[in-house]
Amino acid sequence: MANDKTSMQLISRGILSENPIFKLALSMCPAVGISTTVINGLMLGVAVLFVQVFSSVTISLFKNKIHPRIRIPTYTLTIATWVTVIDLALAAYLPDAYARMGIFVKLIVAFAIITMRLEMFACKESVNDSFWDGLGMGLGFMVGMVVIGFVRELLGSGAIFGYDVLGFKPLLFFILPSAGFFVVGLMMAFFNWIELAYKRTKGKI
């Protein structure tokens, strides 16, 4: 069972060293397609966080009862169940946000990051560790989506959370889908630079 230090390590790993978007380059479709504003990135990030945590806990809880030959279909069914829950909840309580995210909520079923963590971690580790790992990876995805949304909304429309902060639209290019790849590339370079600088301070390189 994870102690406090291990729990924090699992969380920080998902946010920094194994960030799903900036380090592992997984689930790039929503990162590019939906992250045109901070609120869009935040809402989809929260949805993925919910599905990741509950899917990881569910698989870890029943891992000894899952036959190896059907583990991938089991992962898909588990993810689909929790996606349905968040899909119905958003449609009922946050219809405006749900309308903006559209099909991307349903596509969470196919997000590589969730299936990968179930296969690489949840099916082998304890429920407690799987919870923290799912929380870390979910937070990492959410942070990535919010950062991308922040950059694109600010530079594309001069606004944050829909409020005009610059008084003009600097670069409309950042609203376009192609700008998503550009921003992700810059953030990948930034994360790699941070990691390199950290290793240098620790004398690891």
Side-chain angles (χ1 to χ4, degrees), residues 17-28:
S17 63
E18 293 186 15
N19 185 280
I21 298 175
F22 301 140
K23 296 296 292 184
L24 303 181
L26 295 173
S27 302
M28 298 294 287

Side-chain angles (χ1 to χ4, degrees), residues 40-55:
N40 284 357
L42 178 62
M43 292 303 299
L44 187 62
V46 170
V48 171
L49 173 63
F50 174 89
V51 175
Q52 180 73 77
V53 170
F54 280 90
S55 295

Side-chain angles (χ1 to χ4, degrees), residues 113-180:
I113 180 57
I114 301 179
T115 304
M116 185 199 74
R117 294 318 295 179
L118 299 185
E119 173 69 8
M120 298 297 295
F121 196 94
C123 71
K124 304 172 184 176
E125 305 295 339
S126 67
V127 173
N128 188 67
D129 284 2
S130 297
F131 169 82
W132 292 111
D133 179 75
L135 182 63
M137 300 306 291
L139 286 173
F141 181 87
M142 184 174 68
V143 167
M145 292 293 290
V146 170
V147 169
I148 297 170
F150 178 87
V151 173
R152 295 181 69 184
E153 185 176 10
L154 180 63
L155 297 182
S157 61
I160 294 296
F161 285 106
Y163 295 99
D164 191 355
V165 296
L166 297 182
F168 65 100
K169 297 179 179 180
L171 297 168
L172 292 176
F173 160 74
F174 281 94
I175 299 178
L176 302 176
S178 56

